Amino acid sequence: DQQVKQNSPSLSVQEGRISILNCDYTNSMFDYFLWYKKYPAEGPTFLISISSIKDKNEDGRFTVFLNKSAKHLSLHIVPSQPGDSAVYFCAASASQGAQKLVFGQGTRLTINP
Amino acid sequence: GAGVSQSPSNKVTEKGKDVELRCDPISGHTALYWYRQRLGQGLEFLIYFQGNSAPDKSGLPSDRFSAERTGESVSTLTIQRTQQEDSAVYLCASSLVSDRVYTQYFGPGTRLTVL
């Protein structure tokens, strides 16, 4: 049972344009969401997070949007840069329990010069 | 301040052998997690340690998997009688449990290959 889904395994975007990565979840108990970025041979790096009490959180070029009714979140990167090329994982946790993260399968983002 | 470190970075073993993976969390982080990532998959939770509480072992896939943590420092993940399906990258993460922010910081992982 995949509780967190990233339906696009890959995405290609031109440098300078907006990258939009999507994530859907099924568990209504999830109330905290994170995006991680992963380069090859490295561990995931925390990027940005959002609590369920908000619908938007912004940090520089990165913005995460949360639509609780649709159980959907998205990560916007603008403008996209070549260094943004990586695999992006969406993760979710519930305040009840051990704070373990449930991850999506990841989306490989490629920024083309 | 060093990040989370893991050793070895790569491990190749034969089916049926036991392996031990090590994680050194960020100093002062009270929570420690183990995940694994199979090829083409997302990260899969294995086990969680928080202070002196009993660990949450709900993600361990079989009784061949076990983990220990010494106080609030190093942790070892042991896989007994390895199988080919155990081949994966094993990732360790730690976090500072405060308020509602449980941001987890990951190590580089150990790539395990079972022949």
Side-chain angles (χ1 to χ4, degrees), chain B residues 57-111:
Chain B
K57 303 179 181 180
S58 60
L60 294 179
S62 78
D63 58 8
R64 296 186 294 105
F65 287 72
S66 63
E68 293 183 350
R69 187 180 186 192
T70 307
E72 292 186 349
S73 60
V74 67
S75 174
T76 55
L77 176 69
T78 301
I79 309 173
Q80 296 178 310
R81 305 181 302 283
T82 52
Q83 303 294 312
Q84 288 181 334
E85 62 262 28
D86 299 334
S87 295
V89 176
Y90 288 81
L91 290 152
C92 175
S94 69
S95 70
L96 180 62
V97 178
S98 62
D99 297 329
R100 276 279 293 115
V101 178
Y102 293 93
T103 302
Q104 297 177 22
Y105 297 88
F106 284 82
T110 294
R111 180 175 298 278

Side-chain angles (χ1 to χ4, degrees), chain A residues 6 8-11 21 35-47 75 77 83-90 103-111, chain B residues 37 40-43:
Chain A
Q6 294 175 256
S8 298
S10 64
L11 176 67
L21 297 101
W35 284 93
Y36 282 84
K37 175 180 179 180
K38 186 179 184 301
Y39 293 119
E42 295 183 11
T45 303
F46 170 73
L47 201 54
L75 174 68
I77 307 173
D84 296 329
S85 296
V87 177
Y88 289 78
F89 290 98
C90 165
F103 283 83
Q105 309 95 307
T107 295
R108 180 177 300 279
L109 175 65
T110 302
I111 306 302
Chain B
Q37 184 184 15
Q41 304 292 315
L43 280 71

Side-chain angles (χ1 to χ4, degrees), chain A residues 10-21 77 79-82 85 108-113:
Chain A
S10 64
L11 176 67
S12 187
V13 174
Q14 196 164 4
E15 182 179 0
R17 306 293 289 266
I18 185 171
S19 296
I20 300 176
L21 297 101
I77 307 173
S80 301
Q81 300 175 354
S85 296
R108 180 177 300 279
L109 175 65
T110 302
I111 306 302
N112 301 308

Side-chain angles (χ1 to χ4, degrees), chain A residues 49-100:
Chain A
S49 63
I50 188 166
S51 165
S52 60
I53 62 173
K54 294 186 175 182
D55 55 17
K56 177 182 174 181
N57 188 26
E58 190 172 352
D59 183 3
R61 297 184 298 113
F62 303 92
T63 303
V64 55
F65 295 92
L66 176 63
N67 182 335
K68 288 188 292 294
S69 61
K71 293 191 176 66
H72 177 83
L73 64 156
S74 61
L75 174 68
H76 292 210
I77 307 173
V78 56
S80 301
Q81 300 175 354
D84 296 329
S85 296
V87 177
Y88 289 78
F89 290 98
C90 165
S93 71
S95 56
Q96 301 297 321
Q99 305 304 323
K100 58 193 177 191

